[in-house]
């Protein structure tokens, strides 16, 4: 069953995404991961006769997977095209924006209250993309190097080396 499930997942992955990763879960299922779209699909055998549990979820910014947002039971006899249609429907439900009325927005210390203007400010750290070592840092490094050189010179001249 697992070899057939892996082959089905590989065919399905090609239909869903150009860039994908297919791997086996510890529970015996197979995961198709599309990092470029930040989504994943899981295929796992159910307790029923020849049925598959298909789950879809998001990939979080750190690369970890979030819990499944939606799932459905599918018949693998429907073929790869039928499974692909089901997966696309689940992925569309996963990608659908949440209802803003049900999800409260939390403001942090750096997130000001909304303004009437539509212009957004970029954080200072995002704008800075230049050198890592500034001119002042180079000046300090040169002074320290000069002091070390003077100390070595005086120590060598005092010993008569």
């Amino acid at each position: 069953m697992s070899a057939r499930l892996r082959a089905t997942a590989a065919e399905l992955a090609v239909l869903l995404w150009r860039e994908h990763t297919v791997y086996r879960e510890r529970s015996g299922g197979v995961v198709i991961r599309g990092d470029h779209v930040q989504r994943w699909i899981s295929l796992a055998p159910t307790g029923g006769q020849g049925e598959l549990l298909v789950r879809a979820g998001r990939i979080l910014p750190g690369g970890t997977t979030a819990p499944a947002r939606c799932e459905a039971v599918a018949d693998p006899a429907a073929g790869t095209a039928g499974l692909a249609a089901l997966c696309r429907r689940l992925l569309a439900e996963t990608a659908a924006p949440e209802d803003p009325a049900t999800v409260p927005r939390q403001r942090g210390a750096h997130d000001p209250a909304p303004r009437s203007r539509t212009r957004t400010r970029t954080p200072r750290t995002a704008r800075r993309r230049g050198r890592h070592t500034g001119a002042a840092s180079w000046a300090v490094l040169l002074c320290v190097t000069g002091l070390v050189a003077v100390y070595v010179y005086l120590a060598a001249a005092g010993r008569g080396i």
Side-chain angles (χ1 to χ4, degrees):
M1 177 69 177
S2 66
R4 190 171 55 178
L5 185 61
R6 177 134 175 119
T8 303
E11 292 174 15
L12 187 60
V14 171
L15 290 176
L16 292 176
W17 300 306
R18 276 185 240 164
E19 300 173 27
H20 58 271
T21 305
V22 179
Y23 60 91
R24 190 179 71 81
E25 289 180 305
R26 291 183 186 141
S27 63
V30 179
V31 175
I32 305 167
R33 187 177 169 115
D35 287 319
H36 64 290
V37 291
Q38 299 295 311
R39 303 285 180 264
W40 59 266
I41 291 282
S42 171
L43 304 174
T46 62
Q49 289 284 28
E51 293 179 334
L52 291 176
L53 176 64
V54 182
R55 298 174 17 199
R58 293 183 179 183
I59 298 175
L60 301 176
T64 59
T65 57
R69 296 184 59 114
C70 50
E71 59 185 33
V73 177
D75 183 18
T80 310
L83 280 173
L86 174 68
C87 290
R88 285 187 185 108
R89 182 178 59 83
L90 292 176
L91 288 168
E93 290 176 12
T94 302
E98 298 173 345
D99 184 15
T102 61
V103 179
R105 184 170 187 273
Q106 297 177 354
R107 286 194 175 83
H110 299 289
D111 189 13
R115 299 180 185 178
S116 60
R117 293 186 286 166
T118 58
R119 184 178 142 209
T120 59
R121 292 179 51 192
T122 58
R124 291 183 185 262
T125 56
R127 282 187 270 156
R128 185 177 177 191
R129 296 191 185 254
R131 301 179 301 232
H132 292 285
T133 308
S137 297
W138 285 112
V140 169
L141 286 173
L142 287 174
C143 288
V144 169
T145 304
L147 287 174
V148 169
V150 168
Y151 177 77
V152 169
Y153 174 76
L154 291 177
R159 291 187 185 166
I161 297 177

